[in-house]
């Protein structure tokens, strides 16, 4: 008995010490709220999932995550404590303490900060490259935004403001202030950390490019000073460790490290707030203001939206791969009667993603539906928070579901896998577009015509390319979104849907929370299929090719003893080799089908038959997804050479001119 009492006392003392030590990180309350089950957690006292319906509510209360455990899922390089106030004039005033841990093997003497709101300032690289337009939206004249750092100090109170200076490593534009660096007072050794405290003011533009205000609606995306990614050797094939630093460009999105966020959001009393993570306690009211407290871990960004007009609906959901999640809708009043459509799309998408790829690791998913005049805030992804298409009509078509499932798919490829969207945007957008098609087909029976989509590809460019180096915004979208998706679809066509599902799941499982590269994806493909895919990746990922299988020429010659000898020249003008079918149709109505392995650049086939050949067609089943020039897949024998040449040239000019007007 004495030993048992001593053991109990020792355990109690250790537990108390651990609890006290957690307070210095500021997360003691959040930890308790996140992992303690509610009093009604007894399965006998809780309704079954099918008995729970979405219940409108005037105000969301604190969230209690549905899973009681807290595995550490990422390397948690950063830890942010932010307190932000939305002022009456729409500006944000904030204080922030951020701790950065050196994940490398060398001492680090400099730190880099992304100051993204400065992209909306005159002369910025973003505005120069975009021309004040993005995804069909235009920036209102004179509606500039900015971020002003008011103070920057060490944990000991030493000011670092004189050390701060802006850098422009991508284009040398001295007017661009979206990236800053500073020399630290002392270097940070491997595995050690440094804590900085700062205060800043953000002037929000009228909603444009994922951020700003529209009336009393606010979208705060990329709104705080964010530490850049320090990549250890081996990350994305990197030979030596160092900072990955880029400015905010007209066609780029973002890249950041995983960490912990504790964010206090102070808004006027009438506002409701949607945010990354979960709410740790009921909002506090004081002096006509309302203060929310949110917490998130193992995420690489934090976004939030606020409006007094939100219609709020919440439901719980679980399925295979979705251990338990609260789905929270913040809907513009125009769509208040469409909550069932939003909820069904969100639940169905999560269920499929969990089944196909792996667990959704978070306890919440928030969906924000912006008002019509905040279109630029729509269709965007943040960890555990997505924005749907803006509410422009009270009777939207399937664009409502398509936009929402696309953004929820981003939770896996952008949110959890977390590729570098500056340098390899297709690993997010292409993968998400591919998954979007899968979700729409599985849930709603809506499938795209990939052969028509391939025909839109008038200017293919490499997929592994810095986003601002594409020749235009249209070609960035054309390649990163559409051609990236088609590359995955082409791969699926070759290996089969079942094997492709294994590839995508293996990639997600291996590289979740890891920042992988195109080369990492290739390794997974080769591991699953047990084949080499170098030619495929070189052609379609690194060189920006499309496939082009063609019937080059046909020569049918009568023989003295009767019958005909026909010579057909097949040619592969682009892409990597793959087997294709070839159909030969003779004048007497007979058809012969052959297979060409497609590995050579050209193949000459000779056929002997009692009748002359009428025509030949390569890939008549359209199995080569990336062939965007199908007019030359078919050739008739009897067309004279000069006429055929002129016909090919004129058809080519007509088709390319037409498709050039359709390309997105």
């Amino acid at each position: 008995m004495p030993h048992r009492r001593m053991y109990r006392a020792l355990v109690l003392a250790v537990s108390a010490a651990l609890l006290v030590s957690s307070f210095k990180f500021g997360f003691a309350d959040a930890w308790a709220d996140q992992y303690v089950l509610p009093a009604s957690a007894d399965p006998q006292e809780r309704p079954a999932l099918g008995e729970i319906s979405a219940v409108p509510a005037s105000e969301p209360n604190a969230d209690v995550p549905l899973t009681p455990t807290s595995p550490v899922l990422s390397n948690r390089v950063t830890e942010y404590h932010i307190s932000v106030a939305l002022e009456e004039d729409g500006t944000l005033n904030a204080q922030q303490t951020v701790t950065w841990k050196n994940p490398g093997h060398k001492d680090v003497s400099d730190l880099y900060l992304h100051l993204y709101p400065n992209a909306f300032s005159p002369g910025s690289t973003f505005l120069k490259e975009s021309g004040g337009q993005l995804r069909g939206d235009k920036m209102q004249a004179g509606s500039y935004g900015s971020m002003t750092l008011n103070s920057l100090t060490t944990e000991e109170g030493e000011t670092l403001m004189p050390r701060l200076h802006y850098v422009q490593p991508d284009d040398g534009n001295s007017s661009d202030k979206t990236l800053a660096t500073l020399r630290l007072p002392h270097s940070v050794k491997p595995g050690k950390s440094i804590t900085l405290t700062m205060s800043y003011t953000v002037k929000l533009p009228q909603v444009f490019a994922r951020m700003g205000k529209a009336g009393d609606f606010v979208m705060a995306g990329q709104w705080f000073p964010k530490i850049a990614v320090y990549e250890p050797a081996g990350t994305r094939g990197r030979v030596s460790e160092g900072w990955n630093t880029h400015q905010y460009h007209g066609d780029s999105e973002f890249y950041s490290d995983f960490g912990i966020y504790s964010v206090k959001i102070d808004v006027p009393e009438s506002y409701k707030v949607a945010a990354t993570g979960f709410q740790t306690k009921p909002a506090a009211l004081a002096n006509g203001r309302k203060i929310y407290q949110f917490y998130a871990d193992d995420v690489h960004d934090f976004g939030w939206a606020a409006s007094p007009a939100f219609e709020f609906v919440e439901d719980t959901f679980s399925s295979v791969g979705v251990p338990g999640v609260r789905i929270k809708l913040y809907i513009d009043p125009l769509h208040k009667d469409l909550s069932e459509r939003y909820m069904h799309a969100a639940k169905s998408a999560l269920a499929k993603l969990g089944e196909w790829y792996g667990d959704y690791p978070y306890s919440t998913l928030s969906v924000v539906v912006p008002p019509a005049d905040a279109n630029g805030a729509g269709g965007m992804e943040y960890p555990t928070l997505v924005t749907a298409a803006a509410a422009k009509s009270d009777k939207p078509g399937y664009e409502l579901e398509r936009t929402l499932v696309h953004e929820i798919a981003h939770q896996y490829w952008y949110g959890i896998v977390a590729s570098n969207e500056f340098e390899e945007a297709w690993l997010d957008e292409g993968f998400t577009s591919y998954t979007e098609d899968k979700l729409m087909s599985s849930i709603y029976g809506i499938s795209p015509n990939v052969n028509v989509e391939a025909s839109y590809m008038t200017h293919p460019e490499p997929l592994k390319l810095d986003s601002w180096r594409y020749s235009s915004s249209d070609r960035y979208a054309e390649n990163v979104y559409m051609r990236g998706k088609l590359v995955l679809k082409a791969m699926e066509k070759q290996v089969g849907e079942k094997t492709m599902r294994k590839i995508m799941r293996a990639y997600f499982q291996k590289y979740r929370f890891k920042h992988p590269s195109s080369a990492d994806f290739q390794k997974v493909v080769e591991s699953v299929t047990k084949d080499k895919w170098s030619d495929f990746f070189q052609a379609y990922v690194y060189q920006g090719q499309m496939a082009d299988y063609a019937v080059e020429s046909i020569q049918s010659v009568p023989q003295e003893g009767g019958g005909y000898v026909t010579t057909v020249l097949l040619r592969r003008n682009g892409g990597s080799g793959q087997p294709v079918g070839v159909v030969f149709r003779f004048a007497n109505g007979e058809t012969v089908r052959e297979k060409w392995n497609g590995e050579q650049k050209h193949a000459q086939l000779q056929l002997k038959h009692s009748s002359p050949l009428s025509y030949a067609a390569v890939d008549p089943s359209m199995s080569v997804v990336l062939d965007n020039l199908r007019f030359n897949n078919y050739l008739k024998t009897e067309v004279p050479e000069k006429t055929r040449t002129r016909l090919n040239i004129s058809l080519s000019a007509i088709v390319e001119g037409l498709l050039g007007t359709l390309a997105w």
Side-chain angles (χ1 to χ4, degrees):
M1 287 295 291
H3 291 292
R4 185 172 298 177
R5 285 197 298 270
M6 184 179 298
Y7 175 75
R8 289 176 178 171
L10 181 60
V11 170
L12 181 61
V14 171
S15 300
L18 287 173
L19 183 59
V20 169
S21 66
S22 72
F23 280 95
K24 71 178 181 179
F25 297 105
F27 295 135
D29 292 339
W31 183 89
D33 282 333
Q34 185 182 12
Y35 304 119
V36 177
L37 286 174
S40 60
D42 187 337
Q44 301 300 319
E45 298 178 17
R46 297 167 66 186
L49 179 61
E51 299 171 2
I52 300 175
S53 60
V55 180
S58 61
E59 179 69 18
N61 291 314
D63 304 319
V64 180
L66 302 180
T67 53
T69 57
S70 175
V72 175
L73 302 175
S74 69
N75 55 1
R76 297 187 179 180
V77 170
T78 56
E79 183 178 311
Y80 290 87
H81 300 253
I82 309 174
S83 179
V84 57
L86 171 63
E87 306 298 348
E88 296 293 342
D89 63 356
T91 60
L92 305 178
N93 281 315
Q95 297 79 42
Q96 170 175 309
T97 298
V98 57
T99 299
W100 177 78
K101 181 177 66 177
N102 181 356
H105 298 285
K106 296 181 179 178
D107 292 1
V108 175
S109 300
D110 298 274
L111 201 70
Y112 285 82
L113 291 170
H114 291 293
L115 308 178
Y116 289 124
N118 286 330
F120 304 99
S121 297
S124 75
T125 292
F126 174 84
L127 291 182
K128 284 186 174 182
E129 291 178 351
S130 69
Q133 300 186 57
L134 187 70
R135 302 193 302 186
D137 264 5
K138 290 185 178 181
M139 186 176 181
Q140 291 188 21
S143 174
Y144 295 115
S146 63
M147 170 179 279
T148 302
L149 273 177
N150 301 315
S151 66
L152 175 62
T153 65
T154 65
E155 204 171 13
E156 296 75 25
E158 177 186 354
T159 182
L160 300 178
M161 287 293 288
R163 298 170 179 246
L164 187 80
H165 63 279
Y166 300 102
V167 290
Q168 302 82 22
D170 299 327
D171 66 355
N173 174 16
S174 60
S175 297
D176 188 79
K177 298 182 178 180
T178 59
L179 182 67
T181 186
L182 67 147
R183 176 58 58 93
L184 297 171
H186 56 82
S187 61
V188 184
K189 296 188 176 300
K192 300 301 181 180
S193 62
I194 186 169
T195 298
L196 302 178
T197 298
M198 57 195 77
S199 64
Y200 50 94
T201 301
V202 176
K203 182 181 182 297
L204 296 172
Q206 290 297 307
V207 169
F208 172 66
R210 315 175 186 96
M211 152 174 213
K213 63 183 189 307
D216 52 15
F217 171 84
V218 169
M219 183 71 234
Q222 310 304 327
W223 56 280
F224 60 95
K226 189 191 299 184
I227 295 180
V229 177
Y230 187 86
E231 296 181 322
T235 304
R236 302 173 48 257
R238 187 164 187 147
V239 176
S240 59
E241 65 183 67
W243 291 101
N244 187 276
T245 53
H246 296 295
Q247 300 155 240
Y248 191 176
H249 290 272
D251 289 320
S252 70
E253 292 192 18
F254 314 102
Y255 179 43
S256 41
D257 262 320
F258 289 96
I260 297 171
Y261 288 81
S262 179
V263 181
K264 186 180 294 185
I265 303 173
D266 181 340
V267 294
E269 185 175 344
S270 61
Y271 277 67
K272 301 181 185 74
V273 173
T276 291
F278 64 90
Q279 191 178 332
T280 62
K281 60 185 69 174
L285 300 176
N287 302 319
R289 306 284 295 180
K290 187 185 297 181
I291 301 175
Y292 290 82
Q293 179 72 51
F294 289 91
Y295 172 86
D297 52 26
D298 300 311
V299 297
H300 55 77
D301 199 0
F302 190 99
W304 60 277
S307 171
F310 283 144
E311 297 285 337
F312 178 75
V313 179
E314 179 178 359
D315 200 2
T316 55
F317 178 69
S318 63
S319 66
V320 175
V322 186
V325 60
R326 280 182 172 81
I327 301 174
K328 307 158 79 68
L329 307 180
Y330 300 81
I331 304 176
D332 182 77
L334 186 65
H335 281 191
K336 66 179 180 180
D337 296 328
L338 302 178
S339 62
E340 288 188 8
R341 286 179 62 179
Y342 284 108
M343 193 65 76
H344 178 271
K347 289 181 179 180
S348 301
L350 278 179
K352 292 296 182 182
L353 292 166
E355 173 191 347
W356 294 343
Y357 304 139
D359 287 356
Y360 179 76
Y362 307 113
S363 63
T364 59
L365 174 67
S366 295
V367 177
V368 173
V369 182
D373 59 351
N375 184 62
M380 190 55 191
E381 68 280 357
Y382 305 91
T384 78
L385 182 146
V386 300
T387 62
K392 296 181 178 180
S393 165
D394 61 354
K395 293 180 176 62
Y398 270 116
E399 67 271 12
L400 182 155
E401 285 81 4
R402 180 172 291 281
T403 300
L404 184 53
V405 302
H406 178 96
E407 302 310 329
I408 292 175
H410 269 304
Q411 293 299 306
Y412 276 65
W413 306 121
Y414 149 85
I416 301 171
V417 172
S419 307
N420 184 336
E421 293 185 275
F422 289 120
E423 299 177 8
E424 298 180 88
W426 86 282
L427 290 175
D428 175 36
E429 298 296 354
F431 278 57
T432 297
S433 297
Y434 170 86
T435 304
E436 169 201 323
D437 282 353
K438 291 291 184 186
L439 291 170
M440 290 300 293
S441 177
S442 178
I443 301 167
Y444 300 104
I446 299 174
S447 299
N449 187 325
V450 294
N451 295 305
V452 171
E453 290 182 338
S455 70
Y456 295 165
M457 297 303 306
T458 56
H459 296 91
E461 297 182 41
L463 294 179
K464 191 182 185 307
L465 185 67
D466 294 339
S467 61
W468 60 95
R469 300 193 192 281
Y470 285 92
S471 52
S472 71
S473 292
D474 284 345
R475 292 176 189 175
Y476 164 81
E478 180 182 317
N479 284 275
V480 165
Y481 287 77
M482 188 173 292
R483 200 171 75 82
K485 174 188 77 173
L486 292 174
V487 165
L488 296 176
K489 189 64 180 178
M491 186 180 295
E492 176 190 300
K493 200 78 171 180
Q494 293 189 42
V495 304
E497 191 169 1
K498 184 177 179 181
T499 299
M500 191 64 186
R501 184 76 52 78
K502 289 181 180 178
I503 289 171
M504 299 294 278
R505 184 179 181 90
Y507 175 65
F508 175 78
Q509 293 290 338
K510 182 176 179 63
Y511 289 107
R512 60 203 301 262
F513 305 103
K514 293 284 189 354
H515 305 311
S517 66
S518 299
D520 292 323
F521 178 58
Q522 181 180 339
K523 291 174 186 176
V524 171
V525 175
E526 293 178 340
S527 175
V528 172
T529 62
K530 311 301 180 188
D531 286 326
K532 290 293 183 184
W533 286 78
S534 298
D535 290 347
F536 183 94
F537 274 77
Q538 280 298 320
Y540 299 129
V541 175
Y542 300 111
Q543 295 178 11
Q545 296 183 29
M546 293 292 286
D548 180 19
Y549 287 82
V551 182
E552 184 74 13
S553 64
I554 299 176
Q555 186 177 32
S556 197
V557 179
Q559 299 298 293
E560 291 184 3
Y564 293 81
V565 173
T566 300
T567 303
V568 179
L569 179 62
L570 304 176
R571 187 173 295 277
R572 175 169 60 84
N573 299 317
S576 67
Q578 69 178 87
V580 291
V582 187
V583 170
F584 303 95
R585 179 79 169 182
F586 293 90
N588 66 356
E590 291 185 26
T591 300
V592 173
R593 298 180 185 276
E594 299 286 348
K595 199 83 169 178
W596 176 34
N597 63 20
E599 293 178 2
Q600 306 85 15
K601 288 288 187 180
H602 65 273
Q604 184 170 288
L605 306 180
Q606 196 171 74
L607 302 95
K608 294 181 180 180
H609 200 274
S610 59
S611 296
L613 187 70
S614 293
Y615 67 81
V618 62
D619 189 31
S621 63
M622 297 187 176
S623 62
V624 183
V625 173
L626 289 163
D627 193 336
N628 64 331
L629 299 173
R630 291 194 177 276
F631 63 85
N632 60 13
N633 288 35
Y634 169 88
L635 187 63
K636 294 184 71 173
T637 306
E638 70 271 22
V639 178
E641 178 66 25
K642 290 183 179 180
T643 304
R644 179 173 61 80
T645 301
R646 288 198 300 271
L647 182 62
N648 272 354
I649 293 172
S650 62
L651 279 175
S652 175
I654 291 170
V655 171
E656 288 194 8
L658 175 62
L659 295 180
T661 66
L662 295 176
W664 176 55

